[in-house]
Every structure is written in C-alpha cells, then in structure tokens.
Amino acid sequence: MTVTTITPSAPKVGIVSLGCPKALVDSERIITRLRAEGYQIAPDYAGADLVLVNTCGFLDSARDESLEAIGEAIEANGKVIVTGCLGAEPDVIERAHPKVLAITGPHQYEDVMAAVHTHLTPPHNPHLDLVPEAGLRLTPRHYAYLKISEGCNNRCSFCIIPKLRGDLASRPIHHVLTEAEQLVRAGVKELLVISQDTSAYGLDVGYKPETWRGTEYQTRFLDLAKGLGSLGVWTRMHYVYPYPHVDQVIPLMAEGLITPYLDIPFQHASANVLKAMKRPAKQDRVLERIQQWRRDVPELAIRSTFIVGFPGETEEDFEILLDFVREAKIDRAGCFKYENVAHADSRTLPGHVDEAVKEERWHRFMQVQAEVSAARAEAQIGSVQDVIIDGAGDEAGIMIGRTKADAPEVDAVVYLENAMHLKPGDIVPVEIDGADDYDLYGRPA
C-alpha cells in the first residue's frame, strides 16, 4: 500500500507598503520576520491568506491614500492588518474601516507579529525556509536603505512625525555598521542612510562609544560616516539637517569614502518663514557653508525639499526662496504646496495662503529649479561619470543608471546606449554626450 503524505502549504501574507523609505525599511523588517517564521509572501491579494498594509500619515493626501489602500485590501481579500504611521490614530482607521482585524503603530514589529499570529497561525517547521543574514528587502539587490534611528526631537510646526514615531531613538552604531557590512557581503553596492534627522544621530544616547571590527566608534554622524566609508561602496546621506558638525563629513567626501551627495531638507530660505516653521539649525551662514563645501568637493550634489505657500509666506519671502535655490545651485529639489495636516501646529498660524497663490508659486519654483538643474546637466556633457546600473529602460537597447549625484527613485537618471551587456549593480565609467532639464545620456567609456 502506498501512503501519500500531504504537506500543507505555508500561510501567505500580502504586503502593501506606502510612504517614505523609512516605512519601506519597516516593511522589509516585517517581511524578514515573517519569512523567518515560515510564512510565504504573496504577490497579490488573491493569493494571500491575510494582507498587511503599512500606512503613511504625514500629509492629509497620504492619509487619504492609506485609507483607500486599506479599503481596497478589505474589498479584495477581507483579512487586513494595518500598521505604520496612520496606525498611531486607530480611531481614524476604525471609523473608515471597522472590518480591520488589528491596528499597530509605526515600527511596532512585535505587535505586528502578534497580530499576524492571532489571525494566521504560523507553520511549525523551523527548517522550512532559510533567511539570508542580511534579511529580505523590497529594493533591488544592488542598493539598500539603512535606517539608523527612529523618531525626531525637532518640533517643526508643519510636521507630525514626532507625534507618530516619538522622539529620537538612535540604533547602537555597532549594530548599524554590522548590518551595513552584512548588506555589502550580500551584494549591495550602494547604501542609502535614512532617518528623520540623520545629523542628530546619537544625541539621545550621549554619543555612546561602541566597538566594531576592533575599533571604537562613537554613536555620532561623523563616526558613522567613517565606518560606512570603510566598506568600499557608495554611501549616500539622506535627511541631513545642516548642523555645524556636518562640515566634518565633507573631507570624507573629498577622500572618496562617502558619496558626494547630501539630502538636506531646507524647506525654505526666508528667516520669517523658517521661524514660523520652527526649523532647527541656524540658517544664517548656510549659503556661505554650501559654497565652501563646493570648493572642497566640486562634484558635491545637494538635494532638498521645500514648501511653498506656508502660512504667512509673502511674495518677498518667496522671492528669497527662489534666490536661494539659484545661488546655492540646488541640484535636485522636491517642492510641496503647504497642506493643513491634521494635528500639526501650523494649522493655527495666521496668514494662510490662498490655494491659487500656492499653485502659482509652485509652478514658478519648479521653473527656476528646472533652469538650475538644466544648467548643471549641460555642464556634465563631455565628462566621464561613474554610473551604477539599475536595469533596462522602456526603449529597446537602452539601459538606465545613475551618477553619484542621483539617489534612486527621487532624482535623475542616465540613459545608456551600447550597454545591454551590463547588469544591475555594475558601476562603470560613462561618457556623457547629451542632457535635458534633468536626465543625462551617454555610453560606456
């Protein structure tokens, strides 16, 4: 007699990840935990036994998108757990979607796993799956986001992140550097350092020293840069407030240890608007410091974000902002029209700007930024740039990559001809022979 053993398939969890790269890292950690326990990750609603929606709650538009995504998941699957920033306001979610099974806040991994266990029993086979040492990621294999802290100590009037994610909580530096080392061993060629306030790293723990690779590193921005710079990959710094000690990292860029790229969320340039925003870091020497940075590292690229139409912003304030973008030669910029975010202190400020004025200023800002970016792109023609390959383009025979001046998904790209022999993660010298307002065109040198 033949006995057939039926092995039950592993339970499957679908993941919907919304919001910023920090939320993406949260999703990756959750997926790693799920896979380590034997759960499978479903590619669609139909194949999932349960759906986890990682939400964003920073702007009202993001909240609406999150609520819409939750509703879509409930309609398509029926079994939904919600986590992330909007999860910090469970009443909002419950009113809109009372059928949600469970709600947890941001970076509450244990609570997420407890909710999954409650509604989807894990398989009891510890040998079912092996999880790689670097964990499982939602980004391509050749780059990875490296989260160094949670929360923020700043109290910008337009921002509710501290209310959602709490005060600054820095990860021990030896944990961060060990994770980075594991990622590099797994094939990562580019590390994107993220947090709410990267340059404040370690402030909450008194810059506590830890040992990594037999050397003592303080839990602070400069030592983090030194440690990451020793790994021999592109290391890109995001969300860096321009505190004075940021100047100390510029020499590491000049030496080629850190990628010459700074993502600094200036938000505005007018002293009046910055005061109303309650922005940290003194702005009175920022332009002078940027010019010095560029003298020390001519290839330095600066990305930033700005808000137009903030309550009380006058035409004069707006012109100051445009002049700053021109003089600082901001290489890449995102611009947002001010939104009255629920629970933000800025809602009660006087002098709210008319929507039509916001729209007009946004278009003027984007025009100026396009001119600055186009001038920078044109200056690259004839140069040879190191380019990291991301993959094939939409047009036949074209590969897409990025220079050191461009982060994935948010910045410009390089369109390459005669490069189909290259694969994602390759870093090659490329001769730039064309440009438009933002993107570059070239071929392997």
Side-chain angles (χ1 to χ4, degrees):
M1 181 178 71
T2 302
V3 177
T4 303
T5 301
I6 300 176
T7 303
S9 60
K12 297 179 180 178
V13 179
I15 304 286
V16 178
S17 188
L18 305 173
C20 64
K22 291 176 283 295
L24 186 68
V25 172
D26 288 345
S27 295
E28 290 174 344
R29 289 182 179 175
I30 292 168
I31 287 174
T32 298
R33 290 284 299 275
L34 290 169
R35 293 286 281 122
E37 293 188 10
Y39 291 98
Q40 295 291 323
I41 306 303
D44 52 40
Y45 293 128
D49 299 304
L50 179 150
V51 176
L52 179 65
V53 181
N54 190 1
T55 59
C56 179
F58 181 50
L59 298 174
D60 286 354
S61 53
R63 292 155 63 91
D64 292 342
E65 180 185 9
S66 294
L67 291 172
E68 183 179 343
I70 294 167
E72 180 182 296
I74 290 174
E75 182 177 351
N77 183 277
K79 298 182 67 175
V80 176
I81 292 173
V82 176
T83 188
C85 286
L86 191 58
E89 300 180 68
D91 54 322
V92 172
I93 297 170
E94 289 168 351
R95 281 199 303 269
H97 301 295
K99 294 182 179 180
V100 164
L101 298 177
I103 301 170
T104 74
H107 56 262
Q108 294 179 355
Y109 311 117
E110 298 299 331
D111 292 343
V112 171
M113 294 307 298
V116 172
H117 294 159
T118 298
H119 298 284
L120 190 60
T121 304
H124 296 288
N125 185 349
H127 306 294
L128 187 62
D129 290 292
L130 294 177
V131 176
E133 185 181 20
L136 296 166
R137 295 182 287 114
L138 297 175
T139 52
R141 176 182 168 82
H142 61 283
Y143 67 81
Y145 293 103
L146 183 67
K147 188 191 286 190
I148 63 171
S149 65
E150 294 285 0
C152 183
N153 286 346
N154 301 315
R155 295 295 183 265
C156 302
S157 61
F158 59 84
C159 182
I160 60 172
I161 291 297
K163 297 176 182 177
L164 297 176
R165 291 182 170 258
D167 288 335
L168 177 68
S170 300
R171 295 178 60 199
I173 190 165
H174 59 311
H175 292 180
V176 175
L177 293 176
T178 298
E179 179 184 346
E181 189 175 24
Q182 291 171 351
L183 289 168
V184 172
R185 278 206 300 261
V188 166
K189 302 292 184 64
E190 179 180 19
L191 295 169
L192 299 104
V193 177
I194 58 170
S195 68
Q196 299 298 336
D197 185 353
T198 296
S199 37
Y201 176 61
L203 176 66
D204 57 309
V205 295
Y207 308 114
K208 182 181 178 183
E210 304 284 1
T211 300
W212 177 68
R213 283 183 170 181
T215 300
E216 184 177 279
Y217 289 83
Q218 290 189 327
T219 305
R220 65 168 68 238
F221 182 53
L222 177 60
D223 283 26
L224 174 71
K226 289 178 179 178
L228 295 175
S230 72
L231 294 175
V233 297
W234 288 14
T235 299
R236 203 178 288 279
M237 297 294 191
H238 288 267
Y239 315 117
V240 178
Y241 286 84
Y243 302 126
H245 67 262
V246 172
D247 296 356
Q248 300 170 2
V249 174
I250 301 302
L252 300 182
M253 296 182 180
E255 295 172 33
L257 299 177
I258 295 295
T259 306
Y261 177 101
L262 283 174
D263 177 353
I264 304 177
F266 289 117
Q267 307 299 8
H268 216 280
S270 163
N272 293 332
V273 176
L274 289 168
K275 183 178 180 181
M277 288 179 168
K278 296 183 179 177
R279 292 291 289 159
K282 295 181 179 179
Q283 295 285 327
D284 52 331
R285 281 188 61 248
V286 165
L287 189 58
E288 180 184 331
R289 289 171 64 208
I290 289 174
Q291 291 167 344
Q292 182 60 53
W293 294 346
R294 292 195 187 281
R295 284 191 290 270
D296 294 339
V297 185
E299 68 272 28
L300 174 66
I302 297 177
R303 142 166 279 279
S304 190
T305 51
F306 297 92
I307 298 173
V308 297
F310 193 81
E313 182 190 63
T314 65
E315 179 62 24
E316 181 182 1
D317 292 326
F318 181 66
E319 289 292 344
I320 290 172
L321 172 57
L322 295 184
D323 289 342
F324 174 78
V325 171
R326 294 187 187 101
E327 291 183 53
K329 296 181 172 61
I330 300 298
D331 301 88
R332 309 285 185 237
C335 183
F336 303 90
K337 291 170 280 189
Y338 170 77
E339 284 189 29
N340 247 342
V341 178
H343 310 302
D345 295 343
S346 56
R347 292 175 69 93
T348 61
L349 290 174
H352 281 254
V353 178
D354 184 79
E355 291 299 325
V357 175
K358 290 182 195 177
E359 183 75 14
E360 188 264 345
R361 288 178 182 171
W362 182 85
H363 283 287
R364 284 164 61 194
F365 179 97
M366 295 308 296
Q367 178 60 39
V368 169
Q369 180 57 45
E371 293 168 1
V372 172
S373 295
R376 186 197 183 287
E378 185 177 2
Q380 308 306 308
I381 296 176
S383 68
V384 175
Q385 304 274 338
D386 284 340
V387 169
I388 188 167
I389 303 300
D390 283 336
D394 293 333
E395 295 184 26
I398 299 295
M399 294 293 282
I400 291 179
R402 291 173 288 107
T403 70
K404 291 181 179 179
D406 299 295
E409 300 183 14
V410 294
D411 291 332
V413 299
V414 182
Y415 294 96
L416 295 106
E417 295 180 338
N418 302 330
M420 295 306 292
H421 60 288
L422 299 174
K423 62 183 184 299
D426 285 346
I427 298 176
V428 295
V430 170
E431 183 175 347
I432 306 300
D433 54 23
D436 56 28
D437 283 357
Y438 296 100
D439 300 322
L440 300 175
Y441 300 82
R443 63 192 68 234

